Each structure stands twice: as C-alpha cells, then as structure tokens.
Amino acid sequence: GAVVSQHPSWVICKSGTSVKIECRSLDFQATTMFWYRQFPKQSLMLMATSNEGSKATYEQGVEKDKFLINHASLTLSTLTVTSAHPEDSSFYICSARDNIGSDEQYFGPGTRLTVT
Amino acid sequence: SQKIEQNSEALNIQEGKTATLTCNYTNYSPAYLQWYRQDPGRGPVFLLLIRENEKEKRKERLKVTFDTTLKQSLFHITASQPADSATYLCALGDFNKFYFGSGTKLNVKP
C-alpha cells in the first residue's frame, strides 16, 4: 500500500527558532499533500493544502508567514514553523493523495513538536 | 462553516459484540465520507470510503452507511476484538480537502 513518511518523528526546539518537518510519499507521486495539526484529545485540523509547483492554500486562521509550506517535488512537501512559540507545540500530520485519482488519503505517522 | 460531530464519550463494549459509531454533520454536502482509525501518537489509518451516491459499504468486519438526508454516517465493527480498541475518526470532503470529526474512542473489553 501507499506509504507516507515524516521526518523527524519528534523534535524539541527553543522558543524563537524555526523547525522544518518533511513529508514524503515513498512509493507514489502526490500532486497534493495536506498538513494537519492535532492537539491532545482533539481532532485533526486542516492547516493547508500543498500543491506541487504552486503556492499552498491555507485554511482560515492559519498564518501563512508562520507556517511556510513548500512542495518542490511530487514526493516531498515541507512545513516550516517559523519563530516557534510554546503554543505551537502540537502533533503535525501530513497526508497525500496519489496522482491516479484515488480518493484515499494516506497519512504520515506524524511529528510531535515541543517548543520550550 | 461545516460542523462534524462524533460522540466524545468513549464507547465501551464487550468482545464479540458489534460496535456502532456515529458521525453527524451540518452545513455541508460532502462528495464522500471516510472513516479512519487512529492509535495514540500515530497518524490516522484509512479504513473505508463511501460516496454520496452510495448507501452502504462493507469491508471484512466493517460496515459503513451514509444517509445524506439525515446527514449521518454509521460505522459498524462486527465481532469486535480488543485489538479494535482505538479512536475512530470520520472525515468529510471532496477531492480538494477533508474535514475531520473529533473522533470516538472505542474500548473493547475481553
């Protein structure tokens, strides 16, 4: 089956620094990838839709200058949390849809970000 | 904006029984609905997808119904096992994006 990886699986950073999270589709090409954030015991909140070769589409209330998304290839999207603050601590999950038109989304294992 | 509701209280059932989880939604007409399983600290795992023109779909011990009039989906796990214990999420959307419910935690007791 389709596999999506994320790196790192967890990261601890100091307030004010930036952190980059990678999302890769390992055995398929993904024109579109999605980034979600999940707080403890809450659901996944869609942050943005990442399209290969174009600008990401952000959901209302998500700061595009704070959460930089780059989708440089059909197998890689990155999310950079800039000037991180403790309130950015969360579980970040990406998903990808393959290019053959499947309706299924394949999720990565998630990245736990802790900002101290 | 769309609103997706799943029972926030955990569902506790005995092994072998059928678990039924509910997903209700308002202010939205999704092209399809998906159910996912999520274990603690892990990403969601896809289980089933049902389209707006489908009433029911089955996969092994899983069954999903989709009532677009009631704006409700039911997710059934028959012959439940302790290994089925997890949080189950419903997600509504179309090809462009999905929105998730808050999930229902299922506990299957041996």
Side-chain angles (χ1 to χ4, degrees):
Chain A
V3 178
V4 175
S5 70
Q6 279 185 243
H7 178 79
S9 56
W10 61 270
V11 57
I12 301 173
C13 71
K14 292 187 176 181
S15 189
T17 62
S18 295
V19 174
K20 179 185 284 188
I21 302 170
E22 293 185 349
C23 176
R24 293 180 184 273
S25 56
L26 298 185
D27 50 2
F28 67 100
Q29 293 184 330
T31 303
T32 303
M33 291 184 173
F34 304 90
W35 286 96
Y36 295 85
R37 180 167 55 182
Q38 187 176 35
F39 292 106
K41 297 187 178 181
Q42 294 188 27
S43 188
L44 283 76
M45 298 299 296
L46 179 65
M47 298 176 65
T49 302
S50 170
N51 298 298
E52 187 264 339
S54 64
K55 292 182 179 180
T57 302
Y58 291 81
E59 292 297 298
Q60 192 174 13
V62 178
E63 299 176 56
K64 62 180 181 180
D65 293 330
K66 181 169 181 63
F67 299 99
L68 301 179
I69 292 173
N70 184 279
H71 194 154
S73 76
L74 288 173
T75 60
L76 173 64
S77 176
T78 60
L79 167 69
T80 301
V81 183
T82 63
S83 187
H85 292 286
E87 57 264 32
D88 297 326
S89 299
S90 188
F91 193 50
Y92 291 87
I93 309 175
C94 72
S95 71
R97 180 182 273 129
D98 65 39
N99 285 357
I100 61 173
S102 169
D103 296 325
E104 295 180 23
Q105 275 190 89
Y106 303 100
F107 281 83
T111 297
R112 173 73 59 191
L113 170 63
T114 302
V115 184
T116 61
Chain B
S1 62
Q2 72 287 340
K3 188 175 181 181
I4 304 165
E5 292 183 335
Q6 292 185 256
N7 195 338
S8 58
E9 292 183 11
L11 177 63
N12 299 304
I13 65 168
Q14 204 67 33
E15 181 177 9
K17 300 293 185 182
T18 296
T20 299
L21 307 174
T22 305
C23 177
N24 295 297
Y25 61 94
T26 57
N27 299 330
Y28 198 33
S29 295
Y32 37 80
L33 185 150
Q34 298 183 343
W35 282 90
Y36 289 82
R37 168 184 174 140
Q38 187 176 26
D39 292 287
R42 309 292 291 273
V45 174
F46 171 80
L47 297 175
L48 277 170
L49 177 151
I50 185 165
R51 301 176 191 281
E52 60 179 337
N53 60 349
E54 298 174 317
K55 297 292 185 185
E56 180 180 300
K57 186 162 277 188
R58 294 174 184 260
K59 180 182 178 182
E60 298 174 350
R61 293 186 295 113
L62 309 179
K63 184 177 85 171
V64 172
T65 63
F66 193 11
D67 189 325
T68 55
T69 301
L70 290 178
K71 294 186 181 293
Q72 180 183 77
S73 174
L74 299 178
F75 176 75
H76 307 273
I77 305 176
T78 58
S80 60
Q81 305 166 359
D84 295 326
S85 298
T87 295
Y88 291 86
L89 306 170
C90 69
L92 281 65
D94 53 33
F95 193 77
N96 294 318
K97 61 179 66 175
F98 278 87
Y99 297 99
F100 281 80
S102 56
T104 298
K105 184 171 172 58
L106 173 66
N107 295 313
V108 181
K109 299 182 179 180

